[in-house]
Amino acid sequence: MSATAWVRRLRDRPIAERERRTALTVVAVLLAASVVLLAATRPARRPDHPASRRPGVPVRSTLRPAPARSAANAGPVALVAARAAQRFLTGYLAYLYGHAPITAVRGATPALLRSLRAHPPLVPPAMRARSPRVLSLHPAPAPLGFLGVSALVNDGELASYQVVVLLAPKRGRLLVSTVEGT
């Protein structure tokens, strides 16, 4: 007897009432266990979390300055670069999440601003409800003539993400010319 014939015979046989009750009990127990496990692994919502706010109440970016110790240990040039990156990220993240217009983006080169205007972000409502925050700033590798700053950003979700900005000296100021990672 082949395996397929055995499966067909098993499939087509009548099921006893006791087998039917046992199968129903097993399925009910598995379903209940799945619900309990899913409920236990769902992240809890904090009262101050953007998703728990009332609809219609505007959500503002809660971008806070990064700890000074992360970039300050690298030297005065890195500190100036970190401040310039922080100034840029304040407006950029608000713009990226739909909390502010493009005019809120400060400290960017004209070419980068033109690029941002030409390719505006499509912000879904779920993303608009989040509040991005820079957790830390660190020096990052950069090509010759640029300074790199890596920012760790969290918007209230489980995972943080990294944004790397490249700064170029323009007319005595450091301006962001490239953004990577968003």
Side-chain angles (χ1 to χ4, degrees):
M1 176 187 298
S2 73
T4 52
W6 178 76
V7 169
R8 270 195 209 117
R9 208 173 87 215
L10 189 62
R11 179 193 69 190
D12 294 339
R13 74 175 175 81
I15 297 175
E17 187 63 31
R18 189 177 125 245
E19 289 177 316
R20 185 172 291 144
R21 279 192 302 254
T22 303
L24 181 62
T25 303
V26 168
V27 168
V29 167
L30 287 174
L31 184 60
S34 299
V35 168
V36 168
L37 287 174
L38 285 173
T41 58
R42 195 181 108 232
R45 294 284 185 198
R46 300 182 320 252
D48 63 335
H49 192 274
S52 62
R53 294 185 185 162
R54 291 175 293 154
V57 175
V59 179
R60 288 179 287 155
S61 175
T62 58
L63 190 64
R64 296 182 194 135
R69 69 182 189 290
S70 59
N73 293 341
V77 173
L79 185 60
V80 171
R83 286 181 183 153
Q86 181 73 46
R87 181 178 61 245
F88 168 78
L89 288 169
T90 299
Y92 176 71
L93 290 173
Y95 168 69
L96 185 65
Y97 281 75
H99 301 174
I102 187 70
T103 55
V105 179
R106 306 274 181 212
T109 60
L112 179 58
L113 288 173
R114 277 192 302 275
S115 176
L116 291 174
R117 278 189 186 98
H119 307 286
L122 298 174
V123 185
M127 188 172 174
R128 194 177 297 269
R130 297 181 188 156
S131 296
R133 185 175 65 126
V134 174
L135 300 177
S136 64
L137 294 170
H138 300 282
L144 190 62
F146 292 91
L147 291 170
V149 175
S150 172
L152 186 63
V153 178
N154 188 292
D155 59 8
E157 292 299 308
L158 293 177
S160 298
Y161 60 94
Q162 185 176 11
V163 177
V164 177
V165 295
L166 295 179
L167 298 116
K170 302 282 184 190
R171 292 184 243 147
R173 291 178 43 194
L174 284 176
L175 297 177
V176 175
S177 62
T178 306
V179 181
E180 299 171 356
T182 54

